[in-house]
């Protein structure tokens, strides 16, 4: 069996010489096929490159009919060449013509050749083309020959993807904009519609020169790179927040295992020994791993290969010194960021004015990046599988954060429809914006206090923009959820102070830390619970571990020096819990007074009504509180014993059911009796029909997501409370599942905008 004449090192050296000469890309390819054929003792060597529209075109050949060049074309998946491109793996055949995928192309004259060895030209796991050698005799190509061809194809990939190509070849590199539209479905995580262009959060890495000039130097570079990589993974592992365990740690454990994996390192060393630079060797091994990953059905193994992929990426960044994320580079003015996952701080690194949307392969409702995206009003879709595989930077893309749909390279029809929708939304926004300074007073003269829910400093400007009366719920835990370490006293004080300053005259109601259940702090050990929503969370955790609450209360008191502090406690289930929390505040006031600190002008303390048991204790509770606020999200989940995040239960029970409305009504009556201010701050406050029902029940203060202020105010302005109130009271004893329809009819009959 003939072996390659001189081996890949010599071939690579010859390729480098070809590349160094000032020639057109076509001439280079013509010379390269001759070199490869000679080197591999093959009668034929051909290069097929992917053309726009998914066609593989014969670009250069030694041995086949030269007239077939730029004429012979195969679709991806068609023939042997198309199969290699589709499956991203080599084919090594003794008798090519008996293979079921063989497609005969008479113009090439290839019927004379029996044996066939083809490898994909891969870049970042994508096939850019196929490199083939053929021989007349029936022969099986050796492992070394396959290796040599793969190494060579690596170089071709870098050439094809580099910017040094002339016109002919440049048009042959697959331009994703010409590729087909792709419709993908994910999970809607932050509302809004985004039209723009793809920016990879972690840009693909440019290798530059794939051929080594000094093999020994490249070997050292690879060793140093691996060493730096191992150290950086060890550092990550020892960070306090990771060391305590959790999912995070499992991923890093796998990382550490791979970072020390001998097999992986050995493969990369082999690639360097064959004549590649260190970075090209990493990419070469990564390509194979990537192709394997794409074929893997087992989700666990796939995930592990994903980890290895991530690690190879890190190593490439170390070797090339290229920036970690696109935030540091130039962005188009309508960037839609695509990433596997992202931390909240990474999103905050981007220039907000340029980011239109965010699409992740992972992510969930409560992931921190989703929380930040909602606060920044960046439409976001999560759980879009393998989108990174499909996109090219600069591809046009639509992300629909309302439905979870993603359209990659949309057709002009889809684009028009979405652009129209976006314009319509913008117009509606304009209408709401005009209402900004109009007081929220019903048609029959009752003033309603419309407040916003907030949780991050980026929410505060919405106060001014929306014309809301204040912040009805400031979820303090968000700051903790996105931090990598526990915020100390001074940092917290400064933070609350900044929030109060930003709000100016408008009141802010802070809620003490509501952690546990779905709200996990990255730096705190998470206790596994059977029923986390019913578990050790919120005020329960705060009272059992008072150090956290003490620190937070002290910071809030200091930040409010000389002005009013409004503070409420989440998940109060019995009066005694409120009393203990209040005692803790009093103790902190005394502590600060003794040390000569200025105290707040007034401290208003409130309880959140989220646990049904508290409703029967209102006569005992209300005389102690300065205000109360209904957390209708939790109240509804506990009232119906129905997990608020369970996808199968979503929408099963309606907050507009007689039971829920009756409970809400009772709260109004009790607070009126005791003359205690009442607000409702769950999601229902931000939905016009639900909010209308609340006003009918007697609520005069509601707090909602900032984007809802406009639509709710529009509803309020057209409302006749005198008519609505008796109407709603009449619904309370119905046996119905929901009274939504009746309320809708009322709105229609009275021209209320809902
Ligand atoms: C609620 O439960 O209604 C509420 C406002 O609190 P959160 O949604 O933060 O639990
Ligand atoms: Mg709650």
């Amino acid at each position: 069996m003939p072996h390659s004449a001189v081996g890949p090192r010599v071939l690579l050296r010859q390729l480098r010489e070809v590349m160094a000469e000032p020639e057109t890309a076509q001439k280079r390819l013509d010379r390269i096929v001759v070199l490869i054929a000679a080197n591999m003792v093959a009668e034929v060597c051909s290069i097929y490159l992917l053309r726009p529209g998914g066609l593989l075109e014969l670009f250069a050949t030694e041995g086949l009919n030269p007239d077939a060049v730029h004429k012979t074309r195969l679709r991806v998946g068609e023939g042997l060449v198309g199969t290699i491109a589709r499956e991203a793996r080599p084919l090594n055949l003794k008798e090519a013509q008996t293979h079921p995928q063989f497609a005969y192309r008479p113009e090439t004259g290839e019927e004379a050749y029996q044996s066939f060895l083809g490898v994909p030209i891969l870049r970042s796991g994508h096939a850019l083309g196929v490199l083939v050698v053929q021989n007349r005799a029936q022969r099986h190509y050796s492992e070394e020959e396959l290796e040599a061809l793969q190494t060579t194809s690596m170089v071709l990939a870098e050439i094809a993807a580099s910017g040094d190509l002339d016109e002919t070849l440049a048009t042959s590199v697959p331009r994703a904009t010409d590729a087909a539209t792709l419709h993908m479905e994910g999970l809607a995580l932050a509302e809004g519609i985004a039209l723009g262009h793809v920016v990879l959060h972690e840009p693909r890495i440019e290798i530059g020169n794939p051929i080594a000039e000094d093999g020994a130097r490249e070997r050292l570079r690879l060793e140093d790179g691996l060493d730096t990589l191992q150290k950086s993974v060890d550092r990550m592992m020892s960070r306090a927040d990771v060391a305590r365990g959790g999912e995070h740690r499992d991923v890093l454990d796998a990382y550490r295992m791979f970072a020390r994996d001998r097999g992986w390192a050995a493969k990369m060393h082999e690639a360097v020994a064959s004549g590649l630079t260190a970075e090209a060797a990493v990419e070469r091994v990564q390509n194979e791993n990537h192709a394997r990953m794409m074929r893997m059905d087992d989700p666990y193994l796939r995930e592990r290969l994903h980890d290895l992929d991530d690690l190879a990426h890190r190593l490439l960044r170390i070797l090339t010194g290229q920036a970690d994320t696109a935030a540091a580079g130039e962005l188009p003015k309508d960037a839609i960021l695509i990433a596997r996952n992202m931390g909240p701080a990474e999103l905050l690194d981007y220039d907000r004015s340029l980011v239109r949307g965010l699409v992740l392969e992972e992510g969930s409702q409560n992931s921190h990046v989703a929380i930040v995206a909602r606060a920044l009003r960046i439409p976001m879709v999560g759980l879009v599988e393998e989108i990174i595989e499909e996109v090219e930077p600069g591809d046009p893309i639509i992300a629909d954060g309302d439905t979870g749909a993603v359209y990659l390279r949309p057709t002009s029809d889809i684009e028009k429809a979405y652009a129209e929708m976006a314009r319509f939304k913008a117009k509606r926004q304009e209408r709401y914006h005009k209402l900004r300074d109009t007081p929220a007073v019903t048609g029959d003269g009752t003033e309603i206090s419309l407040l916003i829910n907030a949780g991050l400093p980026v929410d505060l400007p919405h106060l001014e923009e929306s014309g809301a009366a204040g912040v009805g719920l400031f979820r303090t835990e968000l700051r903790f959820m996105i931090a990598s370490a526990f915020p100390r006293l001074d940092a917290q004080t400064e933070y609350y102070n900044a929030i109060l300053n930003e709000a100016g005259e408008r009141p802010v109601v802070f809620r003490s830390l509501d952690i546990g259940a779905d709200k996990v702090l990255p730096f705190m050990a998470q206790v596994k619970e059977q029923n986390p929503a019913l578990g050790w969370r919120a005020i329960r955790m705060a009272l059992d571990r008072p150090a956290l609450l003490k620190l937070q209360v002290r910071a809030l008191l200091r930040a409010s020096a000389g002005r009013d502090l409004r503070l409420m406690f989440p998940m109060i289930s019995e009066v005694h819990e409120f009393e203990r929390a209040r005692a803790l505040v009093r103790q902190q006031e005394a502590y600060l007074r003794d040390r000569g600190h200025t105290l707040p002008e007034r401290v208003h303390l409130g309880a959140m009504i989220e646990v049904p048991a508290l409703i029967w204790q209102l006569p005992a509770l209300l005389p102690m509180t300065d205000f109360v606020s209904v957390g209708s999200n939790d109240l509804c989940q506990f009232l119906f014993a129905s997990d608020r995040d369970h996808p199968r239960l979503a929408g099963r029970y309606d907050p507009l059911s007689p039971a829920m409305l009756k409970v809400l009504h009772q709260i109004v009556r009790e607070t009126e009796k005791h003359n205690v201010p009442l607000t409702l701050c769950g999601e229902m406050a931000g939905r016009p029909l639900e909010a209308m029902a609340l006003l009918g029940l007697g609520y005069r203060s509601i707090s909602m997501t900032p984007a809802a202020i406009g639509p709710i105010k529009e509803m309020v302005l057209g409302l006749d409370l005198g008519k609505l109130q008796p109407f709603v009271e009449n619904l309370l004893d119905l046996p119905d599942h929901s009274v939504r329809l009746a309320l809708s009819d009322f709105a229609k009959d009275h021209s209320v905008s809902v």
Side-chain angles (χ1 to χ4, degrees), residues 360-586:
L360 297 185
E361 291 190 348
E362 299 177 357
S364 66
Q365 264 317 326
N366 293 308
S367 58
H368 309 155
V369 64
I371 294 169
V372 172
R374 286 194 287 268
L376 292 172
R377 297 213 202 168
I378 296 177
M380 171 177 176
V381 181
L383 296 187
V384 184
E385 281 180 26
E386 283 163 25
I387 186 164
I388 295 174
E389 294 307 313
E390 303 292 348
V391 299
E392 278 298 322
D395 274 354
I397 184 170
I398 296 169
D400 184 340
D402 297 338
T403 66
V406 173
Y407 292 90
L408 187 58
R409 304 177 288 267
T411 58
S412 58
D413 289 358
I414 298 173
E415 199 168 316
K416 254 190 237 149
Y418 267 99
E420 186 52 43
M421 210 184 317
R423 262 195 301 277
F424 176 76
K425 284 192 163 198
K427 262 203 199 128
R428 210 169 45 188
Q429 256 355 88
E430 220 173 280
R431 210 173 68 220
Y432 296 146
H433 191 72
K434 285 201 186 119
L435 292 179
R436 195 180 65 160
D437 299 322
T438 311
V441 178
T442 63
D444 54 349
T446 303
E447 196 175 331
I448 309 293
S449 172
L450 302 183
L451 307 160
I452 62 164
N453 294 345
L456 290 171
V458 291
D459 288 321
L460 270 294
H462 300 323
L463 264 182
E464 189 62 38
E465 279 162 33
S466 65
V471 178
L473 163 65
F474 191 90
R475 294 180 162 106
T476 58
E477 62 276 4
L478 297 195
R479 162 80 172 82
F480 290 70
M481 284 166 72
I482 64 172
S484 56
F486 189 85
R488 309 308 310 168
L489 178 66
D490 286 345
Q492 280 196 58
T493 308
E494 212 174 285
Y495 178 70
Y496 303 132
N497 189 32
I499 301 291
L500 288 167
N501 288 347
E502 179 91 18
E505 292 297 297
R506 296 170 162 113
V508 177
V509 177
F510 290 100
R511 171 173 76 184
S512 69
L513 275 183
D514 185 6
I515 46 181
D518 57 329
K519 295 168 184 158
V520 187
L521 301 192
F523 42 84
M524 264 177 73
Q526 199 190 346
V527 186
K528 278 244 177 301
E529 295 187 87
Q530 286 267 323
N531 289 302
L534 305 178
W536 194 55
R537 54 173 288 204
I539 196 69
R540 300 168 185 176
M541 197 192 264
L543 293 174
D544 291 358
R545 296 268 186 280
L548 278 187
L549 185 61
K550 272 186 194 162
L551 199 70
Q552 182 174 38
V553 166
R554 200 179 294 172
L556 283 163
L557 287 167
R558 280 175 47 175
S560 314
R563 43 192 168 181
D564 282 15
L565 168 62
R566 294 175 175 80
L567 173 62
M568 63 183 179
F569 305 103
M571 284 282 291
I572 296 283
S573 307
E574 53 174 17
V575 179
H576 186 55
E577 286 169 343
F578 179 77
E579 284 183 296
R580 286 176 64 196
R582 188 180 57 169
L584 186 146
V585 177
R586 299 290 176 243

Side-chain angles (χ1 to χ4, degrees), residues 29 75 98 227 235 258 311 362 403 507 588 634 725 746:
L29 290 181
R75 286 190 308 280
T98 58
D227 193 49
R235 250 198 324 276
F258 284 125
L311 210 59
E362 299 177 357
T403 66
Q588 289 306 313
D634 275 317
Q725 224 141 352
F746 177 93

Side-chain angles (χ1 to χ4, degrees), residues 679-696:
T679 296
L680 183 142
C681 60
E683 298 304 316
M684 63 188 294
R687 298 192 203 107
L689 192 68
E690 277 87 335
M692 184 187 90
L694 290 171
L695 301 186

